[in-house]
Amino acid sequence: MTDALKHIKANVRTIKAYALAPLDAPIKINQNENPFGMPAAIKDEVLRRAAATDWARYPEFVPAVLLGKLAAYTGWRADGIMAGNGSNEMIQSVVNAVVEKNVTVVLPEPTFSVYAQVIKVAGGNIASVLLRDDLTFDVPRLREAILTHHATMAIICSPNNPTGCVIARADLLDLLSTGALIVVDQAYLEIGGEDFVALLNEHPNLVILRTFSKAMAMGGLRVGYCLAAPALITEFNKAKMPYSLNFFSMTTAEVALERRELLQPLIAAMQSERERLFAELGKINGLTPVASAANFFAVKTTLAPRELFTQLHARGILIRDVSSAALLKDYVRISVGTPEENDALLTALKELL
Ligand SMILES: Cc1ncc(COP(=O)(O)O)c(C=O)c1O
C-alpha cells in the first residue's frame, strides 16, 4: 500500500480528512438545517413530476428552467448563474477554476472548513486572517492580507459558519476595491445577512454562493448555486462536472421556488426561535451565546465543550463541538431547532450547568 500512496499529491496527504462522526440523536441541532423539514405539498408535487418523467434520460445539460427561476428569485441574470450539487460543489468549481500552485487565497479564521480543504487539494496557499476577539471580521487585516500576499481570491462566509458574524456592505466594497475575486458564501441568506446581489452589476470580481440546504430544507438533495458575471460563470462551469444536478434535486428546487409561500412561515419561525433561544441561552449561568444572523450560535461554555457535547448527546441532543477551531477552544455550536427541540435543549442545559 505504501507504494501506491506515493502517487498521491503531497498536499493531499497532509490534509486532515473532513469528517463528521455518523452520530444520530432524536434532537439533531448540529448541522444548521431547517428543523421543520420540507412541506408535504412540495414533496407531493415533486413525486408527481418524478413519476411522469423518464428516469433513463439525462437531465437538461443546462438546467434552463431552474436557472430562469433562480434569476427571478435572486434578481440576477440567468446567464450569470451556475447550479450544481450543493454549494460545496460550487466552492470546488470556483477554486478549481482559480487556484493552482503559487496562488494565494485569503480566508478569515475560523470559517467553514471546506474552503481550506479544496484550496489545499488544488495546490494553493492560504493566508489566514483571524477574526477579532469579539468574533467579527477584521476587515482592515483582510484587505492588508489580500494586498501583501497578492492574493487572487478571498472567501468571506456571511453569515460566517461557525460564528454567525456578517460582513457589512461598506466592508465588502472595501475588499472588492482590491481587485481580487471576492467570493461571498451566503448559505444562510434567507435566514439573515444582507443580500449583495445588486453589487454584481458594478463589481465583476464579486462571486456569490447560495444553497437550498439550509432555510430551503433540502440538505439531503444537494442543490447550490453561484452568481457572478456571465464571463466568470462560463469559466467556473468548465471546472464543474456535467449533469452534477440530478433531475430529482433540480425539480425539488424548482417546486420549492414556485411554492415559496409554504417555506416562508418556517423561515420566519426559525428567525423568531433564534431570538428566543439567544435570549434564553444568555440567562444560563456559564453560557455566553454570540449574536448571530444565521440559524446557529457559537456558544462559550464554562463546562468543557467535549463534556457538554457528550452530556447532551447522552440526553438525545446532538450539537457541534467546535473547540478545535482557532479562537473557539471554549465554544460549541448549536443550531436553532423547533420550539419543542429548543425547550428540551434549554431544560438539559439548565440541568448541566
Ligand atoms: C457556509 C457554508 N457553505 C456551504 C455549506 C455547504 O452547503 P451545501 O449543502 O449547499 O453543499 C455549508 C454547510 O454547512 C455552510 O455552512
Side-chain angles (χ1 to χ4, degrees), residues 142-159:
L142 286 166
R143 183 189 168 83
E144 185 189 303
I146 293 170
L147 297 175
T148 52
H149 294 280
H150 305 289
T152 305
M153 183 161 84
I155 307 180
I156 309 292
C157 183
S158 181

Side-chain angles (χ1 to χ4, degrees), residues 12-30:
V12 172
R13 290 184 65 183
T14 52
I15 297 172
K16 191 165 167 284
Y18 176 75
L20 195 60
L23 295 172
D24 211 358
I27 299 182
K28 201 177 157 298
I29 43 175
N30 66 331

Side-chain angles (χ1 to χ4, degrees), residues 86-88 112 115 157 161 185 187-188 211 213-214 222:
S87 47
N88 281 343
F112 185 47
Y115 312 140
C157 183
N161 179 5
D185 182 346
Y188 300 93
T211 183
S213 293
K214 307 296 179 182
R222 321 298 305 122

